[in-house]
Amino acid sequence: MSQDIKKILQKEILTRTDIIGLLSAEGDDRNQLFAAAAQVKEKYVGKKVYYRGLIEFSNLCGKNCLYCGIRAGNKKTKRYEVTEQEVLDAARYAWENKFGSLVIQAGERSGKEYIRRIEDLLREIKRMSKGELGITLSLGEQSEETYRRWFDAGAHRYLLRIEVSNPDLYPKYHPDNKKHDYHARLEALYLLRKVGYQVGSGVMIGLPFQTTEDLADDLLFFQQHDIDMVGMGPYIEHEDTPMYQYKDILMTRVERFNLSLKMVAVLRILMKDINIAATTAMQAIDPMGREKSIKVGANIIMPNLTPTQYRDDYKLYEDKPCTDEDAEECKRCLEARIHMAGGEIGYGEWGDSKHFAKRKHE
Ligand code: 5AD
Ligand code: SF4
Ligand code: FES
């Protein structure tokens, strides 16, 4: 191992330069980084991996992010919304199989009727599961009042990726208008925290024009904003999006994957007690992507519970896995995978961010 990496890994506090050094590690240095991250994980969050049963509620979206396959402007996508009964069936499946928590994810919409429908669904899920299922929402930017209504109806965690923390890069991947405003997104993270949610954020890795320095700043962003949970993964191009024009200047997919794995490992060392997801995009590139993430620091996994007939249409990027498998298959598959990665499953537990619990008691 090089002396430099050894020195960095022994430090209490990592500087930006240290982080850039770790993200650039290759060969034996990289293995040392992974080993150090695995140790931190074992010590601070343990071996347990917590489930969040994922319901991709709808691919209707009012936004037009330039990288995303379900952007409003993609007329090739067939739009759907899962029925209330199907959501409740999926929630019951999660509850009966002791998944502990659900994530409800969808494109961004904010009509009155929609907001009320989500609110009703949350109450129904809480009632059905006798309050036992934890609920995470991933429904985009909303008003403070909406965040509050959904919180009061039973959601207690919210995921809103900043996507890229550099305000100068943000407009490269989003249309230049008020709906896609970096500062509004930042404000949303603040509001979520104020309302009382455990707040999750994240970024995409390997975007065109993004540098290792930017990625180091992304990690520091999570730290500065005291984020409780992080989900991040490789950017994967989608043919029917404007950003497909940059496909030839991207790193290879394997390089993006390897960089994402290092991001997870460095984040675990930087923020020892947060929840980190092993994301689906990791598996889209490497069939063992999520297991590898778990080994180097991730402790959350999101088995897909979306009814199979809709899965093909929730295609944010190419090669999204699990589109043919149903809930039962994904459950069995994941169990085997997690055990292979040396993890244990936290059945029947919410698996809240330890970081959040700590900041609540301060
Ligand atoms: N590649 C990787 N991740 C993507 N997302 C959207 N489009 C892509 C893509 N092409 C991610 C965004 C969003 C999350 C739901 O999916 O980070 O927040
Ligand atoms: Fe909509 Fe989210 Fe896709 Fe942006 S990333 S277009 S908000 S679903
Ligand atoms: Fe869905 Fe493996 S997790 S098939």
Side-chain angles (χ1 to χ4, degrees):
M1 172 177 32
S2 73
Q3 282 308 310
D4 286 356
I5 293 292
K6 193 170 170 185
K7 258 199 216 134
I8 297 174
L9 289 174
Q10 283 166 348
K11 283 186 163 185
E12 284 282 319
I13 294 170
L14 299 180
T15 65
R16 183 170 184 265
T17 313
D18 295 334
I19 294 173
I20 294 168
L22 292 175
L23 292 178
S24 312
E26 294 296 342
D28 186 41
D29 283 355
R30 190 180 68 152
N31 293 340
Q32 295 303 324
L33 161 65
F34 288 164
Q39 264 183 11
V40 171
K41 180 186 166 188
E42 174 105 30
K43 180 163 170 205
Y44 288 85
V45 295
K47 273 192 194 316
K48 273 193 192 162
V49 175
Y50 298 100
Y51 276 0
R52 316 281 183 235
L54 172 65
I55 303 172
E56 293 156 335
F57 176 64
S58 169
N59 65 357
L60 282 151
C61 182
K63 278 185 142 173
N64 250 318
C65 306
L66 303 177
Y67 42 81
C68 176
I70 65 169
R71 62 199 299 276
N74 183 7
K75 303 296 178 214
K76 285 197 191 160
T77 294
K78 192 169 108 228
R79 303 290 162 170
Y80 74 85
E81 185 177 289
V82 177
T83 66
E84 185 187 326
Q85 191 54 49
E86 285 168 327
V87 175
L88 290 175
D89 290 346
R92 177 173 292 280
Y93 178 90
W95 180 53
E96 286 175 353
N97 285 281
K98 304 211 174 338
F99 277 18
S101 300
L102 280 186
V103 178
I104 303 176
Q105 187 173 75
E108 191 172 304
R109 284 155 77 193
S110 44
K112 258 194 183 150
E113 149 75 18
Y114 174 76
I115 291 166
R116 196 189 45 77
R117 224 145 18 94
I118 296 287
E119 186 179 12
D120 291 347
L121 256 180
L122 292 171
R123 290 195 199 283
E124 270 306 304
I125 294 168
K126 279 289 176 186
R127 185 170 323 131
M128 181 276 300
S129 69
K130 302 186 175 40
E132 285 177 20
L133 269 182
I135 306 176
T136 306
L137 296 179
S138 175
L139 301 173
E141 288 168 52
Q142 303 289 343
S143 69
E144 180 175 352
E145 191 211 333
T146 302
Y147 293 143
R148 203 174 296 282
R149 276 172 60 185
W150 289 347
F151 186 82
D152 292 342
H156 79 292
R157 312 184 195 105
Y158 205 105
L159 307 173
L160 189 78
R161 290 186 176 182
I162 191 74
E163 312 295 1
V164 53
S165 70
N166 179 344
D168 298 327
L169 278 182
Y170 197 85
K172 286 202 187 299
Y173 315 128
H174 298 92
D176 177 20
N177 59 34
K178 258 172 65 189
K179 235 190 203 174
H180 301 81
D181 179 59
Y182 176 84
H183 292 100
R185 204 154 180 91
L186 202 56
E187 170 78 6
L189 288 175
Y190 159 81
L191 289 175
L192 285 165
R193 189 178 159 112
K194 179 175 156 203
V195 169
Y197 286 96
Q198 286 176 55
V199 180
S201 197
V203 293
M204 285 177 286
I205 299 160
L207 288 158
F209 316 113
Q210 187 185 43
T211 63
T212 312
E213 284 75 16
D214 290 319
L215 290 170
D217 288 336
D218 286 342
L219 297 178
L220 289 168
F221 172 94
F222 301 140
Q223 194 178 43
Q224 275 149 17
H225 293 271
D226 203 23
I227 291 295
D228 302 302
M229 352 180 246
V230 171
M232 55 187 175
Y235 161 66
I236 302 173
E237 62 277 28
H238 188 298
E239 200 181 358
D240 304 316
T241 62
M243 266 170 62
Y244 197 66
Q245 63 178 307
Y246 300 122
K247 64 177 194 313
D248 297 328
I249 61 163
L250 297 173
M251 286 177 242
T252 65
R253 287 195 181 189
V254 171
E255 284 165 344
R256 277 175 262 165
F257 175 85
N258 287 334
L259 192 52
S260 302
L261 213 50
K262 286 192 268 186
M263 284 284 281
V264 168
V266 179
L267 180 62
R268 177 53 75 201
I269 295 173
L270 198 63
M271 300 186 76
K272 301 180 168 24
D273 57 358
I274 64 168
N275 278 348
I276 304 178
T279 58
T280 313
M282 295 294 277
Q283 198 197 341
I285 296 186
D286 182 328
M288 297 287 282
R290 288 182 296 186
E291 295 80 329
K292 289 180 184 171
S293 306
I294 287 170
K295 276 200 172 149
V296 305
N299 68 327
I300 300 290
I301 223 161
M302 293 154 69
N304 201 332
L305 297 180
T306 311
T308 321
Q309 77 262 33
Y310 303 114
R311 289 195 190 186
D312 247 349
D313 293 317
Y314 201 83
K315 233 176 155 188
L316 307 169
Y317 44 80
E318 291 170 359
D319 298 331
K320 201 168 158 254
C322 303
T323 48
D324 296 325
E325 286 78 8
D326 64 14
E328 195 60 35
E329 285 169 297
C330 283
K331 173 175 178 262
R332 263 200 309 272
C333 168
L334 273 180
E335 251 168 30
R337 285 163 179 269
I338 290 167
H339 287 138
M340 259 189 316
E344 292 162 16
I345 302 162
Y347 277 124
E349 297 177 54
W350 280 10
D352 280 338
S353 161
K354 290 194 165 64
H355 184 77
F356 177 78
K358 222 162 84 189
R359 84 171 160 83
K360 281 311 240 193
H361 286 117
E362 270 165 9

